[in-house]
Amino acid sequence: MDALETRAAILRAAADIASVDGLEGLSIGRLATELSMSKSGVLGQFGSKEELQLETVRLVLANFVARVWEPARHLERGLPRLTGVCEAWARYAMAPGYPGGCCVATFSHEFDGRPGRVRDELAGGVRQWRATLVREITTAIGNGDLPPDLDPHQAAFTLDAIASGVGPARLLHGETDAGTWAAHAMRAALRTP
Amino acid sequence: MDALETRAAILRAAADIASVDGLEGLSIGRLATELSMSKSGVLGQFGSKEELQLETVRLVLANFVARVWEPARHLERGLPRLTGVCEAWARYAMAPGYPGGCCVATFSHEFDGRPGRVRDELAGGVRQWRATLVREITTAIGNGDLPPDLDPHQAAFTLDAIASGVGPARLLHGETDAGTWAAHAMRAALRTP
């Protein structure tokens, strides 16, 4: 493996571990063992645990965008795109590709009470996502496709909360219908059929 | 302080710490420092870190019931009680009394991907809460106060997800309207005015 491949392999393993044990649960030693590398080999790629956490957050946010936004971005702005996002989001929440569920949701609950760079990186990504949702909801209202009294900020909050609830429902309670429930609840939150 | 008061003080501090740093972030050493006790004094009350985590989960679940269920339990079964629960829940989510937000939500995201006794204790409590919600929703449908095509399990999932979303919205993004949004979104999920 060249340096870039090594870096990618470390981050992939870091995201998997952090999805179960949290970003604070990441340890350079454990990553080194899992990847059959030296601790200095892992640390050399990132310089510090905080830098590793920051890069893990960036990877996880990029994966989220690729799985939830990209499948819908070719659709017409407003309700068609928003509907596509909600469908992709419910599918992603049921199979996010991390053993411990969606990292964005897990990290948000882990870091919402802490100050620091990791939290700021995460908050920035989630805030951008909220702004994207608000924009599409606003467009859909403007087009007459959603009720004019819908509050775009409230609706974006509700969509986010519903999607974030899928992981615990699925992993803690084995609710196999959680994805379908979420897709249905998202449509209800937007007051679309 | 007698032994019971000491135990209560340790658990109170443990819940505050865990709301920010997670249940895995609890350390006997840090608790001892914060409470000006010896490590063996803290450990002597619980025997192991896992036992301390279990007792913290029980305390947090009991507080949740006291704050969200008790204010509504005197109300008539079905929609009146359910509405009371949702109102109390939205208030609690905005001011749960822990620096890092609602511990039930935080712990659920922290432990949903891990096996073990702590997870089972938490899952049991949350499952009981879901069953309570399902019962009240079913009663409300039976009384003709909620639409007959509402799925009680899906509605209970949605209420839980919405309430769990308040913490990150408030703490990560400073959304001061999150409690009002949640109360509104809960009513919409139940399709009540």
Side-chain angles (χ1 to χ4, degrees), chain A residues 19-22 99-100 105-106 108-114 119 122-123 126-127 130 151 153-154 157-158 161-162 164-169 171-173 175 178 180-182 184-185, chain B residues 19-22 99-100 105-106 108-114 119 122-123 126-127 130 151 153-154 157-158 161-162 164-169 171-173 175 178 180-182 184-185:
Chain A
S19 77
V20 177
D21 292 337
T106 298
S108 292
H109 278 271
E110 183 183 4
F111 273 85
D112 62 4
R114 308 185 195 188
R119 167 236 175 82
L122 183 67
V126 178
R127 204 167 296 137
R130 285 275 176 95
D151 175 339
H153 292 276
Q154 147 137 35
F157 156 81
T158 307
I162 291 167
S164 299
V166 171
L171 294 165
L172 209 55
H173 309 303
E175 286 169 343
T180 315
W181 290 347
H184 183 94
Chain B
S19 77
V20 177
D21 292 337
T106 298
S108 291
H109 278 272
E110 184 183 5
F111 272 85
D112 63 3
R114 306 185 197 189
R119 168 235 174 84
L122 181 67
V126 178
R127 204 167 296 138
R130 285 277 175 94
D151 175 338
H153 293 275
Q154 147 137 33
F157 155 80
T158 307
I162 291 166
S164 299
V166 171
L171 294 165
L172 209 53
H173 308 303
E175 286 170 345
T180 314
W181 290 346
H184 183 95

Side-chain angles (χ1 to χ4, degrees), chain A residues 116-138:
Chain A
R117 291 175 67 207
V118 176
R119 167 236 175 82
D120 293 347
E121 186 72 29
L122 183 67
V126 178
R127 204 167 296 137
Q128 215 176 319
W129 178 240
R130 285 275 176 95
T132 302
L133 292 172
V134 167
R135 195 181 63 220
E136 298 300 335
I137 295 166
T138 306

Side-chain angles (χ1 to χ4, degrees), chain B residues 8-71:
Chain B
I10 295 171
L11 285 177
R12 182 68 249 179
D16 283 349
I17 292 172
S19 77
V20 177
D21 292 337
L23 276 171
E24 278 303 314
L26 274 180
S27 105
I28 304 287
R30 177 159 165 208
L31 275 169
T33 306
E34 291 212 1
L35 295 160
S36 304
M37 292 176 66
S38 66
K39 282 172 78 165
S40 61
V42 174
L43 204 53
Q45 289 282 338
F46 300 96
S48 68
K49 178 170 166 175
E50 190 183 49
E51 210 53 55
L52 170 67
Q53 290 174 320
L54 284 167
E55 286 297 322
T56 306
V57 168
R58 285 176 197 129
L59 172 76
V60 154
L61 287 168
N63 279 349
F64 179 87
V65 168
R67 295 280 310 277
V68 178
W69 171 249
E70 291 299 334

Side-chain angles (χ1 to χ4, degrees), chain A:
Chain A
M1 287 200 288
D2 66 17
L4 267 179
E5 287 170 336
T6 303
R7 191 180 171 87
I10 296 171
L11 284 176
R12 182 68 247 178
D16 282 350
I17 292 172
S19 77
V20 177
D21 292 337
L23 275 171
E24 277 304 315
L26 273 182
S27 106
I28 303 286
R30 175 157 167 212
L31 274 171
T33 307
E34 290 211 2
L35 295 162
S36 305
M37 291 175 64
S38 65
K39 280 172 81 166
S40 60
V42 174
L43 203 54
Q45 290 283 339
F46 301 96
S48 68
K49 179 170 165 174
E50 189 183 49
E51 210 53 53
L52 170 68
Q53 290 174 321
L54 284 168
E55 287 296 323
T56 306
V57 168
R58 285 174 197 132
L59 172 77
V60 154
L61 287 168
N63 279 349
F64 179 86
V65 168
R67 294 281 308 278
V68 178
W69 172 249
E70 291 298 334
R73 75 177 299 170
H74 69 285
L75 298 168
E76 198 190 330
R77 286 197 53 188
L79 189 59
R81 196 184 280 177
L82 193 60
T83 306
V85 162
C86 290
E87 283 168 11
W89 206 353
R91 278 198 305 273
Y92 162 81
M94 283 301 279
Y98 308 104
C102 170
C103 285
V104 180
T106 298
F107 297 172
S108 292
H109 278 271
E110 183 183 4
F111 273 85
D112 62 4
R114 308 185 195 188
R117 291 175 67 207
V118 176
R119 167 236 175 82
D120 293 347
E121 186 72 29
L122 183 67
V126 178
R127 204 167 296 137
Q128 215 176 319
W129 178 240
R130 285 275 176 95
T132 302
L133 292 172
V134 167
R135 195 181 63 220
E136 298 300 335
I137 295 166
T138 306
T139 302
I141 295 170
N143 291 346
D145 291 333
L146 287 179
D149 63 333
L150 199 70
D151 175 339
H153 292 276
Q154 147 137 35
F157 156 81
T158 307
L159 296 181
D160 197 10
I162 291 167
S164 299
V166 171
R170 182 171 65 86
L171 294 165
L172 209 55
H173 309 303
E175 286 169 343
T176 49
D177 289 330
T180 315
W181 290 347
H184 183 94
M186 285 170 154
R187 285 194 297 276
L190 295 171
R191 290 192 264 149
T192 57

